[in-house]
Amino acid sequence: MDLNACLAFVTVLECGSFSAAARRLRIPRSTVSARVAALEKRLGTRLLRRTTRQIAPTDDGSIYFDQVAPAIRTLREAEFTGASGDKTLHGSIRISVPLDFPVDVLSQAIASFRALHARVSFDVIVDNSVSDFVSDNIDLAIRGGNPGSDDFVARQIASFRFGLFVSPAYLQQRERNEENLAQLMFEDPSGKAQALNSATSLQSKSHHAVTANSFALLKQLALDGGGAAFLPAHLCEDEVREERLIEIDQGRSATPEIGLFIVYPSRKDISSRVRKFSEHFVALLEETASN
């Protein structure tokens, strides 16, 4: 087994390109390419798809990465600590969060964690469509509603109640008749409506005037009289208190609740920095919820 070839392959996927991997490993790009090619020849299969703009793993590459990446990371940490026994957390954490995830919560979690572990850096991707942990090199993701594939490891960390919110003027204009309400619905990038869409009988009584993958946009549309929007109740607390929005489905026996999940790739081992940050983040959420 050539550990240098394994290291080159893992680093290419982590960095997203041969050039970036070469810079991290401090060796020529041609050496990285040669080592990956030698690894593919030894294994008898293609591990990477190469284009002029993108590198992605093949199916065999994804399987091999999942098998060897944890071992490479363990070796890196062992080499870093070395004889000094320095167990300081270090390295990068790449996180995917939805567009409407509360930035104050995430900011507080990152800032307070870096105050304790200054050698850890963060790369945050704010995008509803990020789903490929391997090709996008994601260490952990925050997902609402559906945590994703069965191949992922998901832990529910919170749940949010949803309601139907509308502006008083719009509701008065429609004579308070729910059947006349234009419905504003959240829809994920794949075009499949979230589970909350089917959690209410209103879906069959009203038409979808607007679908969007942004709760912030849907809330603003409701405020502007564009229709009735299904939204997380906590996002509308200020507007309801100020009587700029009305929740009209409070009497329903089954108010939709959507879970919030922290999701990891299905790897046998994750780095200590990712594990520690996950624990820190969950603890902060629990503390915020209790206050």
Side-chain angles (χ1 to χ4, degrees), residues 47-68:
L47 299 176
L48 298 174
R49 294 188 184 91
R50 306 166 177 84
T51 68
T52 56
R53 300 180 60 183
Q54 186 178 12
I55 291 176
T58 63
D59 290 342
D60 288 341
S62 294
I63 294 171
Y64 191 71
F65 180 87
D66 286 343
Q67 292 172 334
V68 302

Side-chain angles (χ1 to χ4, degrees), residues 46-279:
R46 286 188 62 191
L47 299 176
L48 298 174
R49 294 188 184 91
R50 306 166 177 84
T51 68
T52 56
R53 300 180 60 183
Q54 186 178 12
I55 291 176
T58 63
D59 290 342
D60 288 341
S62 294
I63 294 171
Y64 191 71
F65 180 87
D66 286 343
Q67 292 172 334
V68 302
I72 291 295
R73 290 171 182 146
T74 299
L75 290 172
R76 281 182 183 145
E77 292 191 10
E79 182 170 305
F80 181 83
T81 57
S84 66
D86 183 0
K87 298 186 182 301
T88 304
L89 294 182
H90 66 284
S92 175
I93 299 177
R94 190 169 170 88
I95 306 175
S96 168
V97 298
L99 288 169
D100 291 300
F101 190 78
V103 294
D104 55 341
V105 174
L106 184 60
S107 174
Q108 185 179 353
I110 291 175
S112 56
F113 188 80
R114 291 203 72 253
L116 299 171
H117 309 285
R119 300 181 71 173
V120 175
S121 60
F122 287 83
D123 186 4
V124 182
I125 299 90
V126 183
D127 189 346
N128 286 337
S129 64
V130 174
S131 58
D132 192 329
F133 279 92
V134 175
S135 63
D136 292 312
N137 191 25
I138 302 298
D139 292 305
L140 63 89
I142 307 299
R143 292 283 184 267
N146 187 345
S149 167
D150 292 338
D151 295 332
F152 300 157
V153 178
R155 172 189 176 188
Q156 184 167 343
I157 55 178
S159 62
F160 298 99
R161 184 181 67 81
F162 277 71
L164 185 66
F165 294 89
V166 63
S167 72
Y170 179 84
L171 188 60
Q172 185 66 33
Q173 177 187 351
R174 297 302 172 104
E175 298 178 348
R176 308 189 73 86
N177 187 341
E178 293 182 9
E179 295 185 3
N180 294 332
L181 300 180
Q183 195 166 316
L184 313 175
M185 300 299 296
F186 184 91
E187 198 167 86
D188 65 29
S190 67
K192 296 179 180 179
Q194 292 281 22
L196 64 94
N197 293 12
S198 60
T200 172
S201 60
L202 271 182
Q203 186 179 22
S204 62
K205 294 183 179 180
S206 56
H207 65 283
H208 292 189
V210 179
T211 59
N213 67 339
S214 169
F215 288 126
L217 174 60
L218 295 177
K219 183 172 80 169
Q220 189 59 52
L221 282 168
L223 288 166
D224 291 339
F230 277 102
L231 298 167
H234 70 277
L235 293 182
C236 303
E237 290 176 352
D238 291 342
E239 288 77 13
V240 170
R241 185 168 51 251
E242 296 165 1
E243 298 183 348
R244 293 192 293 148
L245 287 178
I246 298 173
E247 183 177 1
I248 64 173
D249 61 339
Q250 289 179 328
R252 297 184 177 275
S253 58
T255 303
E257 283 200 3
I258 300 298
L260 183 69
F261 297 83
I262 189 166
V263 189
Y264 313 92
S266 56
R267 299 169 186 161
K268 294 181 180 179
D269 190 22
I270 60 174
S271 67
S272 55
R273 63 182 177 274
V274 173
R275 185 179 298 107
K276 289 289 186 182
F277 176 73
S278 299
E279 295 169 356

